[in-house]
């Protein structure tokens, strides 16, 4: 075995010997080929220009049937209701999202802990009234309530704020006044019913709630971010979520108004119990942001003001997205107990308030 000294140059590799007869030739190293774009079976591959061309061709082909469908009276009515709801609600939605993001990022939760009374029974209504003063949608109220609990605020007071803030803040009440110009008493009824339910749920949790049912969040969602980044991140998150639910709610309201037979709506609206239960279920399923739900409720003209008040009180307190957010923030054991109780009290409180004020 030959030993090559480190300082000596390594011997160059000579030409490979020819393979012996009857043996397979040695594989030759080849330079790597450049990556090829994915192609279909026929050799074509989809690019942005091709996709745009196909889309334009599709629009050209179906424009006739599409124009005919949109010109139908049903579709004209549907588009009118949908556009009216979205255009009216969008400014309030954007303003509410901006203010709720500012509340979540720039107002320290320790402020609430210092401002609330030490006695829990008194802290509950104070927290409920604080929700009426400070703007915030339900998307922002859940993390704010979690931060309050984590910093030592009694859970009963934090839950009262959780329910009242998205229902009776100035943006929501202003949107309700704009949506119901001929029924200004709806603003007072919404304020009174929502505060009543929020305080009742807070006191109910103080009396019957158990510490092991509530799992406080481990950390603030804005920890580790600058205030500017946290603010715009909260704005983007809330706009995407709330805007999507606004579109879904407007589509549902337009469909209900334009497609559902008038006899069905008159039958449901003519029975007070059925009307209340139907709009309560609709509020839970649609999950509309509280800054926009008044315009959807105003479009449901077949129903009484009391039934529409139920829609306005139930929606900001318990719906599908809120149930998921509460389960993620405080635990599933909390959500499965808190959500049904909130739904029952919201329906009863709205009916009682509507009977008195409407």
């Amino acid at each position: 075995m030959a030993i090559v000294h480190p300082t000596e140059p390594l011997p160059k590799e000579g030409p490979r010997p020819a393979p012996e007869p009857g043996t397979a030739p040695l594989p030759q190293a080849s330079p790597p080929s450049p990556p090829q774009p994915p192609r279909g079976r026929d050799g074509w591959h989809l690019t942005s220009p091709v996709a745009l061309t196909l889309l334009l061709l599709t629009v050209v082909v179906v424009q006739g049937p599409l124009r005919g469908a949109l010109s139908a009276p049903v579709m004209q009515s549907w588009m009118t209701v949908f556009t009216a709801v979205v255009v009216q609600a969008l400014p309030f939605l954007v303003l509410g999202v901006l203010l709720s993001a500012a509340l979540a990022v720039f107002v320290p939760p320790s402020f609430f802990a210092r401002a609330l009374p030490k006695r829990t029974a008194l802290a509950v209504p104070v927290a409920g009234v604080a929700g009426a003063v400070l703007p915030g949608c339900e998307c922002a109220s859940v993390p704010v309530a979690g931060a309050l609990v984590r910093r030592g605020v009694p859970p009963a007071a934090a839950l009262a704020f959780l329910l009242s803030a998205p229902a009776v803040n100035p943006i929501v009440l202003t949107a309700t006044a704009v949506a119901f110009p001929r029924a200004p008493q709806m603003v007072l009824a919404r304020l009174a019913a929502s505060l009543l339910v929020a305080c009742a749920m807070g006191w109910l949790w103080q009396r019957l709630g158990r510490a092991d049912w509530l799992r406080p969040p481990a950390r603030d969602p804005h920890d580790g971010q600058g205030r500017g980044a946290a603010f715009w991140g909260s704005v983007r998150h809330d706009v995407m979520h709330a805007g999507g639910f606004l579109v879904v709610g407007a589509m549902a309201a337009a469909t209900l108004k334009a497609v559902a037979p008038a006899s069905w709506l008159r039958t449901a609206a003519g029975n007070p119990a059925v009307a209340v239960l139907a709009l309560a279920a609709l509020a839970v399923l649609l999950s509309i942001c509280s800054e926009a739900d008044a315009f959807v409720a105003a479009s449901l003209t077949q129903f009484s003001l009391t039934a529409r008040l139920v829609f306005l009180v139930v929606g900001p307190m318990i719906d599908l997205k809120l149930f998921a957010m509460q389960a993620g923030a405080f635990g599933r054991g909390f959500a499965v107990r808190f959500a049904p109780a909130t739904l029952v009290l919201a329906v009863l409180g709205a009916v009682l308030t509507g009977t008195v004020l409407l």
Side-chain angles (χ1 to χ4, degrees):
M1 177 177 181
I3 300 178
V4 180
H5 195 274
T7 60
E8 297 178 358
L10 295 177
K12 295 183 179 180
E13 184 178 0
R16 294 187 178 184
E20 298 180 0
T23 61
L26 296 176
Q28 299 293 327
S30 58
S33 58
Q36 299 293 328
R39 298 177 179 272
R41 293 180 179 178
D42 54 356
W44 286 84
H45 64 278
L46 189 64
T47 61
S48 297
V50 174
L52 180 59
T53 303
L54 292 177
L55 177 62
L56 292 176
L57 289 175
T58 303
V59 171
V60 170
V61 171
V62 302
Q63 65 173 342
L66 186 62
R67 188 184 298 112
L70 292 178
S71 62
V74 172
M75 288 303 302
Q76 291 289 332
S77 175
W78 190 94
M79 289 297 298
T80 300
V81 175
F82 174 79
T83 304
V85 171
V86 172
V87 170
Q88 284 184 308
L90 196 57
F92 295 96
L93 176 64
V94 173
L95 181 59
V97 165
L98 291 174
L99 292 178
S100 66
L103 171 66
V105 174
F106 297 107
V107 177
S110 58
F111 166 80
F112 300 98
R114 293 193 303 266
L116 292 176
K118 299 300 181 183
R119 293 184 57 185
T120 303
L122 296 178
V124 167
V126 172
V129 173
V133 175
L134 298 173
C137 69
E138 55 266 36
C139 298
S141 64
V142 174
V144 171
L148 295 178
V149 174
R150 190 173 58 252
R151 282 172 167 79
V153 174
L159 295 178
F161 178 86
L162 167 71
L163 296 178
S164 68
V168 297
N169 68 70
I171 303 300
V172 171
L173 295 181
T174 303
T176 305
V178 173
F180 291 90
R182 299 182 181 179
Q185 67 272 25
M186 182 66 82
V187 179
L188 177 61
R190 183 173 194 178
L191 172 65
S194 300
L195 281 179
L196 175 64
V197 175
C199 293
M201 281 301 302
W203 286 322
L204 183 64
W205 182 268
Q206 179 192 4
R207 185 173 183 84
L208 302 178
R210 290 169 42 181
D212 58 341
W213 290 349
L214 183 65
R215 185 196 67 196
R219 60 181 295 273
D220 194 299
H222 305 300
D223 287 348
Q225 296 182 356
R227 288 191 173 185
F231 174 79
W232 289 113
S234 179
V235 169
R236 286 193 299 270
H237 175 274
D238 290 352
V239 165
M240 293 298 296
H241 282 70
F245 286 113
L246 169 61
V247 171
V248 172
M251 292 174 63
T255 303
L256 190 65
K257 186 87 171 179
V259 177
S263 59
W264 293 5
L265 296 179
R266 283 195 300 268
T267 301
N271 189 321
V274 175
V276 165
L277 294 178
L279 290 194
L282 191 66
V284 173
L285 295 175
L286 292 185
S287 305
I288 309 172
C289 186
S290 58
E291 279 89 1
D293 59 358
F295 299 97
V296 176
S299 68
L300 303 174
T301 54
Q302 299 89 343
F303 295 86
S304 66
L305 289 178
T306 299
R308 286 184 277 178
L309 178 64
V310 172
F311 180 87
L312 296 178
V313 174
V314 169
M317 294 189 175
I318 178 61
D319 55 31
L320 294 181
K321 75 173 185 301
L322 271 177
F323 180 82
M325 293 178 68
Q326 292 171 4
F330 302 110
R332 186 176 300 176
F334 166 82
V336 297
R337 294 175 175 88
F338 188 75
T342 302
L343 177 60
V344 172
L345 282 182
V347 172
L348 294 178
V351 170
L352 177 62
T353 305
T355 303
V356 174
L357 297 179
L358 301 178

